[in-house]
């Protein structure tokens, strides 16, 4: 099957937005779910979180960071071109209910998956405090969108070019140290950020959820490649997750599994660059 | 007693360097000679041994008379996918097991003759089927494995509009993602799928039922539903170290190789690591396919570890023989107890114990019992777990409860109808991991039920 690309847009350096026509997926999508796409016949299947969905338009929006071969090749695709495969919505939807006050934390491209969840928590009647971060102001994504769906919004940058000079987790700690009642924290970002965040919140006893991003193939529970250890039990992140209780997650195992194919990923990117350099005209 | 015609094959030392088909197929001359061995029994036992009761003496005698068109015609009356069954059926447990020639010598090579006819037809060019008159009814089929494809073909022939929903990006089920190219070329599977498309069946790939649509929605939308989603959920051993880097389920390993074509990396993007020393746990067809794929990917040493003895191995005999010829080492009566961890959470080996066989267990096979003090380590950088699968429950998400067993299989009555009206099921999702031919048989049987159900309601 082929899926039309309705829109592509560069958000910040190396982070792009892509809107794809997929009416059935849009109808079924819920916050916290993801898609798996494959660009062409020889392509890899890669998972990307559903950053937005529009039932009327029949579209799914994803936001991706350029990491390696597949995400680099994605940047060459233009509006009107197609993807060979676009499967979803995958994963168990996030557990979104009215709880009271929810703190949403997104780092880097992790702000993209936070956005639909923040919106859904707000719609469910929660007081939503969002904290988003990036390396610097130039790399910050979805600030306006997040402001719209949050009751309070804080920004942190590693270099202090915008908002708090430091990590998003610093702000989380400040909030937890204040009188503010917090009923749940959701942290999505690079694994190391989720691990550090889980460490920060652990001593406060506030329920903390993370969205895990191990390597996946099918995304339906048939390969077990995405398995993670949660509370000592093996879980398949693509069907049992991707949302899990942060306190139970073995982040070190997940991070090492994410690095298993580094040499091959490097080879794939190099071979792609050789065939199809930066100024390639074949797309 | 004459011997059966030898199958022409790629030589072991050659074939471990490629993914091309190992068994090359009979020549016309060989097929005619082999067919000549058939005694054309009045009361043929082989037919009873075939799960779909092919008229075996019938098609074999046509081969003898070089009427290959008629031979394939007879085969196709009972079996829509002879090119596939001729290659992958466990004939030694089915038709050939009961062949009278086998009492004193070698049974007739029925599977090879079946394959010969199918390949003959393929070379001659398969005729496009005629589109039947529309019944005005629509049926959804979930899963495009042998069960679903057979059901879809039969439903289309009955004039129903048929939509297949398949989770992966290619139809075929295990035939596509599990069984490797060197045993079942994917062109053959694709051709069978095209034939079914030409019957007017709409195949929607990339559709995971339970996610994009629920079973309940499909039951509302269609006049009936057939579920043929197989047994795709891999079982692990639940031993220490099982999540380390380098431990694969056979499903993951084979999916990377077959569906994603990792053996052609970097021309295809999906990577695979096969290491130098590979241990495969299990002794079914899945284990043999994984072991032989690992060899072809360049592993220096591949060891199959199995807790029972050779007699209990469930793989087709031919595959075990091929694996041995190719240099796969078999450590039988050996059971893994712990996977050993090296740097960066990577596998370095597997600790095993030796086993002995005790009294028969529920399966009728003698129960393996660990021998105390027999612990030993097998070095390995890749471990592939092939100890079985069960049905993937994702299909049930968000739908009305359907009766299932403790093993997760769907409960059906003798007509393949589930506990929900108008919802039939068949293949591995009902039986647990079984065979291609039994899945096909179940698909066909379910269609008879669906036809009756639709008729009664209109
Ligand atoms: C549920 C889920 C949701 C995700 N959502 C987003 C998102 O919204 N935006 C975003 O930018 N990224 C997201 N990711 C990560 C994204 O899938 C990877 O960055 C992408 O696969 C990299 O592919 P590549 O070929 O460009 O890079 P590669 O060079 O192949 O890989 C770079 C790194 O990405 C990881 N990776 C590689 N292959 C896969 C794979 N098949 N599945 C998962 N991870 C892989 C590995 O850690 C690897 O080291 C998500 C991952 C998961 C599991
Ligand atoms: C590696 C391997 C080797 C084998 N070798 C042999 C052999 O030599 N001989 C033999 O007779 N048998 C063999 N078998 C067993 C045989 O392949 C199976 O018994 C047979 O394929 C079962 O057919 P099925 O149609 O029931 O299921 P499958 O072939 O498993 O097909 C099920 C299909 O349903 C799809 N699906 C699952 N869930 C969903 C969902 N929620 N929504 C949409 N689609 C879904 C799957 O993606 C899959 O394509 C082997 C099995 C394996 C794994
Ligand atoms: S379908 Fe299988 S069991 Fe039946 S005759 Fe052919 S090889 Fe034998
Ligand atoms: S990605 Fe295959 S089971 Fe999760």
């Amino acid at each position: 099957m082929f899926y039309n690309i309705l829109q592509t847009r560069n958000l910040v350096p190396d982070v792009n937005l892509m809107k794809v026509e997929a009416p059935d997926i849009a109808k079924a999508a819920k916050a916290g779910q993801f898609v798996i796409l494959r660009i062409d016949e020889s392509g890899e299947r890669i998972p990307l979180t559903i950053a937005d969905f529009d039932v009327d338009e029949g579209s799914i929006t994803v936001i991706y960071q350029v990491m390696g071969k597949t995400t680099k090749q994605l940047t060459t695709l233009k509006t009107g071109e197609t993807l060979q495969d676009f499967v979803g919505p995958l994963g168990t939807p996030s557990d979104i209910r009215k709880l009271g006050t929810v703190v949403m934390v997104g780092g880097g491209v992790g702000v993209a998956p936070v956005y639909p969840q923040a919106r859904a928590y707000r719609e469910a009647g929660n007081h939503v405090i969002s904290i988003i971060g990036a390396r610097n102001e130039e790399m910050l994504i979805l600030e306006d969108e997040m402001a719209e769906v949050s009751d309070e919004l804080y920004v942190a940058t590693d270099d202090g070019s915008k908002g708090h000079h430091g990590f998003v987790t610093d702000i989380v700690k400040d909030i937890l140290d204040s009188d503010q009642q917090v009923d749940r924290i959701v942290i999505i970002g690079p694994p190391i950020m989720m691990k550090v965040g889980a460490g920060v919140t652990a001593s406060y006893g506030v329920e903390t959820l993370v969205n895990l991003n191990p390597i996946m193939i099918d995304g339906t529970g048939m390969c077990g490649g995405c398995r993670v250890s949660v509370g000592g039990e093996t879980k398949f992140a693509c069907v049992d997750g991707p949302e899990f209780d942060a306190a139970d997650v073995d982040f070190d195992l997940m991070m090492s599994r994410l690095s298993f194919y580094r040499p091959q990923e490097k080879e794939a990117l190099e071979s792609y660059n050789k065939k199809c350099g930066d100024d390639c005209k074949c797309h | 007693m004459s011997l059966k015609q030898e199958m022409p094959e790629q030589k072991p030392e050659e074939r471990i360097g490629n993914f091309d088909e190992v068994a090359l197929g009979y020549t016309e001359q060989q097929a005619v000679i082999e067919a000549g061995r058939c005694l054309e029994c009045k009361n043929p036992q082989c037919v009873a041994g075939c799960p779909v009761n092919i008229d075996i003496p019938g098609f074999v005698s046509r081969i003898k008379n070089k009427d290959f068109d008629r031979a394939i015609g007879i085969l196709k009356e009972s079996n829509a996918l002879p090119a596939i069954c001729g290659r992958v059926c466990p004939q030694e447990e089915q038709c050939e097991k009961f062949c009278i020639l086998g009492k004193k010598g070698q049974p007739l090579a029925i599977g090879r003759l079946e394959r010969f006819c199918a390949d003959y037809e393929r070379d001659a060019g398969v005729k496009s089927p005629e589109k039947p008159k529309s019944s005005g009814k629509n049926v959804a089929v979930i899963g495009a494995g042998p069960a679903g494809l057979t059901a879809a073909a039969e439903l289309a022939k009955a004039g129903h509009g048929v939509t297949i929903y398949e989770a992966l990006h290619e139809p075929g089920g295990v035939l596509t993602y599990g069984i490797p190219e060197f045993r079942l070329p994917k062109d053959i599977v694709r051709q069978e799928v095209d034939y079914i498309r030409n019957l007017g069946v709409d195949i929607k790939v990339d559709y995971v039922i339970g996610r994009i649509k629920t079973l309940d929605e499909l039951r509302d939308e269609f006049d009936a539903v057939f579920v043929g989603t197989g047994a795709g959920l891999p079982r692990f051993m639940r031993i220490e170290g099982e999540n380390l880097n380098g431990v694969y389920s056979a499903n993951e390993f084979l999916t990377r190789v077959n569906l994603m074509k990792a053996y052609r990396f970097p021309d295809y993007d999906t990577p695979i690591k096969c290491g130098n020393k590979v241990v495969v746990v299990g002794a079914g067809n899945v284990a043999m396919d994984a072991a032989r794929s690992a060899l072809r990917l360049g592993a220096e040493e591949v060891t199959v570890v199995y807790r029972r003895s050779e007699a209990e191995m469930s793989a087709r005999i031919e595959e075990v023989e091929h694996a041995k010829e190719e240099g796969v080492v078999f450590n039988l009566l050996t059971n893994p107890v712990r996977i050993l961890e090296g740097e960066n959470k990577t596998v370095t080996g597997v600790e095993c114990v030796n086993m002995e066989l005790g009294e028969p267990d529920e399966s009728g096979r003698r129960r393996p019992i660990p021998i105390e003090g027999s612990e030993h380590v097998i070095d390995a950088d890749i471990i592939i777990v092939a100890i079985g699968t069960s049905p993937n429950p994702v299909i049930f998400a968000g739908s009305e409860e359907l009766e299932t067993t403790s093993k997760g299989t769907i409960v059906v009555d003798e007509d393949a109808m589930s506990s929900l009206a108008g919802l039939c099921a068949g293949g591995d999702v009902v039986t647990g991991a079984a065979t291609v031919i039994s899945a096909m048989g179940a698909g066909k049987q379910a269609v008879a039920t669906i036809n009756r159900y639709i008729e009664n309601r209109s």
Side-chain angles (χ1 to χ4, degrees):
Chain A
M1 293 223 254
F2 287 93
Y3 302 81
N4 293 319
I5 299 173
L6 300 175
Q7 189 195 342
T8 60
R9 188 152 54 96
N10 176 247
L11 298 181
V12 301
D14 279 343
V15 177
N16 286 8
L17 173 152
M18 179 171 69
K19 197 188 267 188
V20 179
E21 184 178 6
D24 285 350
I25 304 180
K27 254 183 253 164
K30 299 213 170 57
Q33 291 188 295
F34 60 95
V35 292
I36 283 187
L37 64 80
R38 193 173 68 129
I39 298 177
D40 54 28
E41 188 49 42
S42 58
E44 188 172 13
R45 293 170 66 105
I46 69 155
L48 295 172
T49 307
I50 296 174
D52 206 352
F53 49 94
D54 185 330
V55 182
D56 298 330
E57 191 185 35
S59 71
I60 294 285
T61 300
V62 291
I63 293 176
Y64 63 91
Q65 177 164 28
V66 178
M67 294 290 294
K69 198 256 156 173
T70 306
T71 45
K72 182 154 187 198
Q73 191 184 350
L74 270 184
T75 63
T76 66
L77 299 180
K78 304 193 175 59
T79 305
E81 294 190 281
T82 56
L83 298 171
Q84 183 148 344
D85 297 289
F86 200 72
V87 193
L90 299 171
T92 303
S94 303
D95 164 48
I96 292 171
R97 321 172 247 136
K98 183 169 161 92
L99 296 158
T101 297
V102 179
V103 175
M104 306 296 301
V105 187
V109 74
V111 179
V114 162
Y115 169 67
Q117 294 195 32
R119 182 173 63 190
Y121 275 111
R122 184 82 167 304
E123 281 166 4
N126 294 285
H127 181 80
V128 174
I129 304 176
S130 297
I131 308 166
I132 60 175
R135 276 207 310 279
N136 52 45
E137 180 175 14
E138 200 200 354
M139 293 299 292
L140 193 67
I141 60 167
L142 300 181
E143 190 184 351
D144 294 342
E145 288 84 349
M146 284 301 297
E148 219 168 279
V149 299
S150 310
D151 296 284
E152 299 171 43
L153 178 69
Y154 300 93
V155 173
T157 49
D158 297 358
D159 68 352
S161 50
K162 172 130 199 182
H164 169 73
H165 185 168
F167 299 123
V168 281
T169 42
D170 303 338
I171 305 179
V172 175
K173 195 161 184 307
D174 287 347
I175 293 175
L176 290 171
D177 284 332
S178 73
D179 301 338
Q180 173 78 53
Q181 158 76 22
V182 175
D183 300 286
R184 177 181 280 178
I185 304 172
V186 179
I187 309 179
I188 307 176
I192 186 67
M193 180 196 123
M194 294 192 280
K195 180 185 168 179
V196 170
V200 167
T201 65
S203 55
Y204 294 88
V206 180
E207 183 190 33
T208 304
L209 303 180
V210 287
N211 278 36
L212 300 184
N213 57 349
I215 293 177
M216 295 184 177
I217 306 179
D218 56 296
T220 69
M222 62 79 80
C223 79
C226 64
R227 60 199 193 280
V228 289
S229 177
V230 181
E233 267 184 69
T234 296
K235 299 279 181 192
F236 290 5
C238 72
V239 283
D240 300 325
E243 179 174 87
F244 292 101
D245 196 321
D248 298 333
V249 173
D250 183 343
F251 286 102
D252 292 338
L253 178 70
M254 184 178 81
M255 286 191 275
S256 83
R257 285 183 65 87
L258 274 169
S259 67
F260 188 52
Y261 295 102
R262 281 281 146 79
Q264 281 86 351
E265 286 155 0
K266 195 160 159 261
E267 187 185 342
L269 184 60
E270 277 164 7
S271 132
Y272 175 72
N273 284 341
K274 211 180 287 160
K275 263 195 300 208
C276 228
D278 280 332
D279 46 8
C280 144
K281 296 275 178 293
C282 66
H283 286 284
Chain B
M1 241 332 120
S2 60
L3 294 178
K4 66 181 170 195
Q5 288 290 301
E6 288 272 349
M7 184 62 134
E9 285 173 354
Q10 273 199 75
K11 291 202 175 55
E13 56 280 11
E14 230 167 74
R15 71 195 191 218
I16 58 170
N18 66 55
F19 271 82
D20 300 340
E21 193 168 17
V22 168
L24 303 172
Y26 279 165
T27 60
E28 185 177 312
Q29 191 193 10
Q30 279 185 300
V32 173
I33 297 174
E34 181 64 22
R37 294 177 62 226
C38 181
L39 302 177
E40 292 175 40
C41 309
K42 284 267 154 357
N43 180 13
Q45 298 303 303
C46 53
V47 177
C50 170
V52 296
N53 305 123
I54 291 177
D55 173 8
I56 294 168
F59 95 84
V60 171
S61 67
R62 296 316 191 288
I63 298 178
K64 194 158 67 182
N65 301 330
K66 298 198 181 177
D67 183 0
F68 306 126
D69 291 314
R70 198 54 210 117
I72 186 72
I74 294 173
L75 274 166
K76 284 206 153 171
E77 279 165 24
S78 323
N79 182 350
L81 307 174
I84 292 168
C85 291
R87 286 174 166 82
V88 305
C89 265
Q91 288 95 0
E92 71 271 10
E93 287 167 28
Q94 301 179 167
C95 47
E96 294 178 17
K97 179 177 180 178
F98 298 95
C99 172
I100 200 89
L101 292 175
K103 293 257 181 335
K104 291 221 185 74
Q106 289 186 318
L108 187 68
I110 299 168
R112 294 174 181 179
L113 290 174
E114 181 179 21
R115 168 184 167 167
F116 169 79
C117 294
D119 289 355
Y120 166 86
E121 185 195 34
R122 208 151 54 95
D123 292 341
V126 180
K127 289 176 222 66
S128 266
E130 270 173 51
K131 289 207 180 109
K133 221 175 82 224
S134 167
S135 69
K137 302 290 178 188
N138 294 301
V139 182
V141 170
I142 310 169
L149 291 173
T150 309
E154 296 294 320
L155 288 163
K157 285 183 199 158
H160 307 312
V162 185
T163 307
I164 302 185
Y165 295 98
E166 166 56 48
L168 296 173
H169 58 253
E170 277 224 27
V174 169
L175 309 178
T176 294
Y177 78 73
I179 304 182
E181 180 79 18
F182 58 80
R183 205 148 72 76
L184 179 63
K186 299 308 145 210
D187 273 348
I188 293 177
V189 181
R190 238 168 270 137
Q191 194 159 26
E192 300 296 359
V193 170
D194 285 345
Y195 179 85
I196 286 162
R197 280 207 178 95
N198 286 337
L199 281 168
V201 172
D202 180 18
I203 306 183
K204 288 197 190 305
V205 294
D206 297 339
Y207 263 72
V208 185
I209 302 306
R211 293 283 189 236
I212 191 164
K213 281 172 186 283
T214 63
L215 263 185
D216 284 353
E217 283 170 314
L218 292 182
R219 289 176 64 220
D220 285 344
E221 226 174 286
F222 290 87
D223 295 294
V225 175
F226 174 76
V227 177
T229 44
L233 186 78
R235 203 173 297 146
F236 284 90
M237 298 178 285
R238 297 169 178 271
I239 61 175
E240 189 184 324
E242 206 158 28
N243 292 336
L244 292 173
N245 282 307
V247 183
Y248 284 105
S249 73
N251 262 13
E252 179 183 356
F253 193 79
L254 290 169
T255 298
R256 283 181 182 270
V257 173
N258 300 318
L259 182 70
M260 305 312 298
K261 306 251 177 311
Y263 65 93
R264 292 171 65 184
F265 180 88
D267 290 340
Y268 280 70
D269 295 343
T270 305
I272 192 159
K273 285 206 187 177
C274 94
N276 293 323
K277 287 178 162 245
V278 178
V279 166
V280 180
V281 184
N285 286 317
V286 186
M288 297 307 122
D289 285 344
R292 297 173 66 202
S293 296
L295 274 181
R296 284 161 174 75
L297 289 167
E300 274 160 27
E301 199 177 306
V302 179
T303 307
V304 165
V305 165
Y306 179 49
R307 64 197 178 114
R308 301 183 197 251
S309 71
E310 178 142 7
E312 288 86 18
M313 303 202 323
S314 63
R316 295 177 77 220
I317 288 178
E318 192 173 271
E319 308 316 328
V320 177
E321 280 167 3
H322 280 155
K324 284 182 180 164
E325 286 166 13
E326 290 167 9
V328 173
V329 178
F330 286 79
N331 275 10
L332 306 178
L333 290 166
T334 305
N335 200 30
V337 289
R338 191 161 67 95
I339 295 170
L340 307 176
E341 176 177 343
E343 263 170 51
N344 194 21
K345 299 191 185 286
T346 301
V347 168
T348 59
V350 51
E351 185 179 307
C352 297
V353 286
N354 294 335
M355 312 290 280
E356 59 190 350
L357 293 181
E359 295 298 308
D361 60 15
E362 327 77 78
S363 73
R365 299 179 298 182
R366 292 175 63 194
R367 182 192 302 276
I369 307 168
I371 301 173
E372 236 175 275
S374 67
E375 290 79 6
H376 58 281
V377 171
I378 306 176
D379 291 339
D381 37 26
I382 294 291
I383 293 172
I384 305 172
V385 183
I387 58 166
T389 53
S390 55
N392 186 338
V394 71
I395 184 172
F396 305 125
S399 285
E400 190 182 335
E401 289 272 311
L402 178 88
E403 197 184 334
T404 53
T405 66
S406 59
K407 293 199 173 94
T409 54
I410 298 179
V411 176
V412 295
D413 65 16
E414 60 276 12
D415 294 324
M417 190 72 91
S418 74
S419 60
L420 299 179
L423 192 148
C424 284
D428 282 4
V429 74
V430 167
T431 56
T435 59
V436 172
I437 189 73
S438 62
M440 289 173 47
K444 196 167 171 178
Q445 190 206 6
V447 172
T449 304
I450 288 175
N451 286 339
R452 252 180 284 126
Y453 173 82
I454 288 179
E455 215 161 277
N456 290 343
R457 294 221 317 171
S458 46

